Amino acid sequence: MELISATQALSDACARLAAQPFVTVDTEFMRETTYYPKLCLIQMAGPDGFACLVDPLAKDLDLKPFFDLMADESTVKVFHSARQDLEIIWLLGGLLPHPFFDTQVAAMVCGYGDSVSYEQLVNDVAKARIDKSSRFTDWSRRPLSEAQLAYALSDVTHLVTIYQVLAAELLSTDRGLWLDEEMAVLTSPETYQAEPAQAWRRLSGRMRKPREIAVLMEVAGWREAEAQSRNVPRGRILKDEAVIDIATAGPRSVEALGRLRTIPAGFERSRTGTEILAAVERGFNRDLSQIALPERSRSRGGGSGALVDLLKVLLKAVAEAEGVAPKIIATVDDLEALAEDDAADVAVLQGWRRSLFGDKALALKHGRMALSVERGRVTVRELT
């Protein structure tokens, strides 16, 4: 096995794959020391048996043929757990593959479990085994060994069979439309645009007060912008725990910042400490009337805890009966919102999810449906 390192060779390989109805794709990357992922390897395979490895680190290699293939509307691009692969393609090529298929999402619809791994699908669907000895390879180092290249290639060769089997199952069960919503999220540019102004949302679950949220917005936004500009992981700038501590405590002086347990000694007197305090001040200057607590931060009243637990049992029962992963139907947040509000704006009360589960959940909530155990299995029955 050789790495493609010349533009003409890549162009020839992509032309051959473009003639196929679908192409399986995977990437290897490193991001332990960077904010943005560093693309180190591209793997591709087609149903005709052709497969190739591409070295994006090769000097003077132009990846345009690869990006052209990703944009080719006549060939389906197949990935497994594609989010990070698609992020790389978006960042480097300014496009998202289309048409597109994610076998992890398809496997959930077909009942293989929540967030099923590639290895499990290789075992269960392709009836093969993967040598995992090269799993934690530093893909940026050259040369790569034959074992490393073989491992990388297996990520797309087995995927050919997995895609064919899952696509056939979806066709036979008429569940292809169930994937559309998930695929739409993965192929939306907004999914991969890390806006500093939105960085606070991933840390807001513990916040209970508008003032805390206001400070969190500014500190998390400052950290995100700093990490992007320096191309280093967020944690290299400031740990999540420190951001949360700062938002909760709201330190407005060097001394107050230095007293926080998550701030290293002397950090408060550095340039970074000065910028953090400036961000805190911006948070205090925000108009609190414009700060809305995130849904997860709002206390859930009305004694809905037991009802949420009942809805979880119902969800598992319906998922088992329908042969689909619970995660693809509803999240815990969906169930909590539904327990509080019959008209909650959640996916489970729309489209196929409503007919499959949402209506049953409302019926259970209002005593028109019951759960029972028959022969060791939870069953759902309507009450007359």
Side-chain angles (χ1 to χ4, degrees):
M1 289 172 288
E2 293 185 3
L3 284 172
I4 290 177
S5 58
T7 302
Q8 185 57 56
L10 176 59
S11 181
D12 293 342
C14 289
R16 176 168 179 173
L17 291 167
Q20 302 299 312
F22 69 90
V23 54
T24 57
V25 189
D26 189 36
T27 66
E28 306 297 345
F29 56 89
M30 303 290 291
R31 71 184 316 167
E32 285 79 3
T33 61
T34 61
Y35 180 91
Y36 298 105
K38 179 182 180 181
L39 179 61
C40 301
L41 192 67
I42 300 171
Q43 307 100 283
M44 296 183 287
D48 64 345
F50 175 72
C52 65
L53 300 168
V54 182
D55 185 4
L57 301 181
K59 185 179 180 181
D60 299 325
L61 177 68
D62 187 350
L63 290 177
K64 184 178 184 302
F66 170 71
F67 295 129
D68 288 343
L69 176 61
M70 293 300 96
D72 190 335
E73 293 286 337
S74 65
T75 303
V76 178
K77 273 65 69 175
V78 180
F79 295 77
H80 180 82
S81 187
R83 190 183 184 102
Q84 294 190 84
D85 302 304
L86 267 58
E87 178 188 8
I88 292 172
I89 294 171
W90 169 254
L91 290 172
L92 296 182
L95 59 90
L96 290 165
H98 193 268
F100 159 78
F101 189 96
D102 189 321
T103 55
Q104 186 177 71
V105 177
M108 287 194 286
V109 172
C110 292
Y112 287 86
D114 285 340
S115 303
V116 60
S117 70
Y118 179 68
E119 181 186 359
Q120 182 182 335
L121 287 181
V122 170
N123 294 343
D124 297 348
V125 178
K127 309 302 179 185
R129 294 289 184 271
I130 297 176
D131 178 2
K132 298 186 291 183
S133 60
S134 298
R135 185 175 183 180
F136 299 108
T137 285
D138 180 349
W139 294 104
S140 66
R141 298 187 66 177
R142 296 293 184 269
L144 295 173
S145 69
E146 289 294 316
Q148 291 170 325
L149 297 177
Y151 171 82
L153 201 61
S154 70
D155 281 346
V156 288
T157 52
H158 296 308
L159 196 55
V160 171
T161 299
I162 292 170
Y163 168 69
Q164 291 170 324
V165 171
L166 293 179
E169 286 191 33
L170 289 171
L171 187 62
S172 67
T173 57
D174 197 29
R175 291 181 176 179
L177 292 178
W178 292 18
L179 273 71
D180 289 352
E181 183 176 323
E182 299 296 325
M183 300 297 184
V185 171
L186 287 171
T187 55
S188 170
E190 287 75 16
T191 301
Y192 309 100
Q193 293 172 347
E195 298 292 344
Q198 301 301 318
W200 65 277
R201 296 187 181 278
R202 57 182 291 273
L203 300 175
S204 62
R206 307 181 201 178
M207 302 291 104
R208 296 292 180 268
K209 302 174 182 177
R211 175 63 68 200
E212 295 174 349
I213 292 291
V215 175
L216 178 67
M217 286 177 169
E218 294 294 340
V219 176
W222 164 82
R223 182 183 69 161
E224 197 77 11
E226 189 76 1
Q228 289 176 357
S229 67
R230 291 166 54 181
N231 193 24
V232 297
R234 299 180 188 94
R236 292 280 184 92
I237 306 296
L238 200 63
K239 300 292 186 184
D240 284 354
E241 293 79 5
V243 175
I244 292 170
D245 277 357
I246 292 168
T248 303
R252 304 182 75 177
S253 68
V254 170
E255 292 73 22
L257 180 61
R259 284 195 292 269
L260 297 181
R261 60 180 178 80
T262 51
I263 298 297
F267 189 86
E268 71 278 8
R269 299 189 182 278
S270 67
R271 178 185 67 83
T272 299
T274 299
E275 293 180 358
I276 290 172
L277 289 172
V280 171
E281 283 302 314
R282 292 195 298 274
F284 272 86
N285 290 330
R286 274 182 173 263
D287 181 356
L288 295 189
S289 67
Q290 302 300 313
I291 303 295
L293 287 176
E295 289 294 331
R296 289 184 182 181
S297 296
R298 297 173 185 166
S299 60
R300 297 194 179 278
S304 62
L307 175 55
V308 172
D309 288 340
L310 271 180
L311 293 176
K312 289 178 181 178
V313 175
L314 174 65
L315 176 61
K316 290 183 178 180
V318 169
E320 287 179 3
E322 296 293 335
V324 60
K327 185 177 179 180
I328 203 73
I329 301 174
T331 66
V332 173
D333 285 349
D334 290 339
L335 300 184
E336 291 177 345
L338 186 59
E340 288 192 340
D341 183 2
D342 288 359
D345 183 18
V346 289
V348 76
L349 290 181
Q350 302 169 17
W352 64 268
R353 289 181 175 87
R354 176 157 193 152
S355 59
L356 186 73
F357 173 77
D359 286 337
K360 295 182 181 67
L362 290 174
L364 178 66
K365 178 180 176 180
H366 292 288
R368 300 191 302 272
M369 186 166 283
L371 299 174
S372 61
V373 179
E374 297 179 8
R375 298 179 181 178
R377 293 178 63 88
V378 175
T379 61
V380 183
R381 60 187 179 87
E382 292 185 13
L383 296 177
T384 57

